Amino acid sequence: MAVNVSGGLFDCTGKVTVVTGGNGGIGFGFAMGVAKMGGDLAIWARNAEKSAKAKAELEAAGAGRVLAYQVDVSEEANIVAGYEAVMADFGRVDCVFANSGASPRYNSVFEMPTEHWYDFQKTALHGAFFTLREGARLMKARVDGGDATGGSLVACGSLSLFQGLPGKMEYAASKAAVAAAIRCLAIELAPLGIRANVVAPGLVITPMMGEGARADAVAAHFAPTIPMKRTGFPADFEGIGAYLCSDASSFMTGETITIDGGYMVRP
């Protein structure tokens, strides 16, 4: 069993963190970082069986308390109800990772059906925004009530914030819009001690991209283009997850943090 380092610089003890899509991939990486630092976790996802497995692993890693909720963030009402459940169970929200998203499915603007554009944004853009907004609402209420600990809002971005990807405009547009929302939240909420940041991953091998031989083939194909000569993995996001949840990041807001093995600064 892993032992958390509660009391250290990245201590998350006593903090309640909501992670959407937290039962796998990068979201699980964020959650695992918080767990190893002793934090409490509310995992939102749709697959109950997968969430139960993630819950057990997070508890074994040192989390204070972990509860899994079936929440589909494509609908605002589900998000509001999800937070009501978290507040009933935990009584507070200190950190939110708006991580749930979807994979782009087309290779050209001319192939993409109109309905796909709208459906994609329900989760990737609107779901992320409502998750952040409602989380911020609860943090503000806590601060207004005299709790000076503020809070941390985090959106999962992408290198598509900076690069054009043929046929992937529904994905890139959602990430860029959420990043803009984060910057606005950072300015508006800073006086309350609530910070807002974006984590922009490079190429990360997750189950969404496939598993086994297919994932290995993707990694082998792209690794030579990355200065560190490897693709990323969910575990690479544990450190930034713990940092952004903990008080160590209390003066950091409005930033976009790239974790990409050096891809964006290639010569």
Side-chain angles (χ1 to χ4, degrees), residues 241-261:
Y243 170 69
L244 291 175
C245 175
S246 74
D247 293 337
S249 60
S250 62
F251 198 55
M252 182 176 191
T253 196
E255 289 298 318
T256 297
I257 306 154
T258 57
I259 300 182
D260 63 357

Side-chain angles (χ1 to χ4, degrees), residues 5 22 28 30 40 43 50 105-106 116 128 170 173 179 186 194 199 218 232 235 240 259:
V5 195
F28 182 73
F30 290 141
D40 296 333
I43 300 302
K50 188 176 175 182
R105 290 160 41 188
Y106 299 94
H116 170 74
E170 86 280 48
I194 300 170
V199 174
V218 171
I240 196 65
I259 300 182

Side-chain angles (χ1 to χ4, degrees), residues 15-47:
K15 294 186 183 297
V16 177
T17 297
V18 174
V19 186
T20 70
N23 63 0
I26 294 171
F28 182 73
F30 290 141
M32 183 57 77
V34 174
K36 288 181 177 180
M37 294 295 106
D40 296 333
L41 285 154
I43 300 302
W44 289 9
R46 293 180 294 183
N47 187 317

